[in-house]
Amino acid sequence: MSRSPKKVLEKWIALFNEGDAEGIAELYHEMAVNHQVANEPVTGKEAIREMFQSEFAMAEMVCIPENLFEDGEWAILEWRDPLGLRGCGFFHIIDGKIIFQRGYWDKLSFLRQRGLPIPE
């Protein structure tokens, strides 16, 4: 029996906050797409794992959920981090696996808050 989209998202948040790229990748379908609108889409479970591994190595990130919603096959997350950054994510989840994710957040503020290089 597969978990509900909201339960999958709750697990995603826990793994994200642990910085567990391997664990978080297991929540994705083999051909999933993760599109953070500030970046190019990432396609495939392995590429998504590599993306998270790289991001977790680059900066400490914490997801503090403000709202979690479920609507059919979708889970929606409004979040903030300890530095005040806010965003939202939309997760299409089928049979307990994330097939599509889209996230909206301010990449420039993220980079500035963490003293990371700003691409030109």
Side-chain angles (χ1 to χ4, degrees):
M1 181 174 178
S2 65
R3 294 178 287 178
S4 72
K6 187 173 180 180
K7 291 292 182 195
V8 172
L9 184 52
E10 288 169 345
K11 181 68 173 173
W12 185 95
I13 294 166
L15 292 166
F16 182 92
N17 287 339
E18 293 168 10
D20 184 350
E22 298 294 330
I24 209 167
E26 289 304 314
L27 297 177
Y28 288 83
H29 184 275
E30 287 296 327
M31 295 308 300
V33 174
N34 182 317
H35 185 199
Q36 302 303 304
V37 297
N39 302 321
E40 292 297 316
V42 176
T43 302
K45 180 177 173 175
E46 180 59 22
I48 291 169
R49 183 196 63 75
E50 290 172 5
M51 176 196 72
F52 279 114
Q53 188 171 26
S54 174
E55 289 178 353
F56 291 150
M58 178 179 56
E60 181 180 344
M61 296 181 288
V62 176
C63 175
I64 302 167
E66 292 190 323
N67 288 297
L68 293 173
F69 303 99
E70 180 179 83
D71 185 13
E73 295 178 335
W74 288 85
I76 300 104
L77 166 66
E78 287 184 308
W79 58 267
R80 66 180 171 85
D81 75 2
L83 300 177
L85 188 68
R86 284 185 147 59
C88 61
F90 298 84
F91 298 74
H92 189 188
I93 300 168
I94 299 174
D95 296 329
K97 294 288 185 180
I98 301 165
I99 190 74
F100 179 76
Q101 176 185 353
R102 178 169 288 133
Y104 299 90
W105 49 279
D106 182 351
K107 184 176 182 177
L108 183 57
S109 292
F110 174 84
L111 295 171
R112 285 182 175 155
Q113 288 172 339
R114 287 156 179 83
L116 297 169
I118 297 173
E120 294 185 26

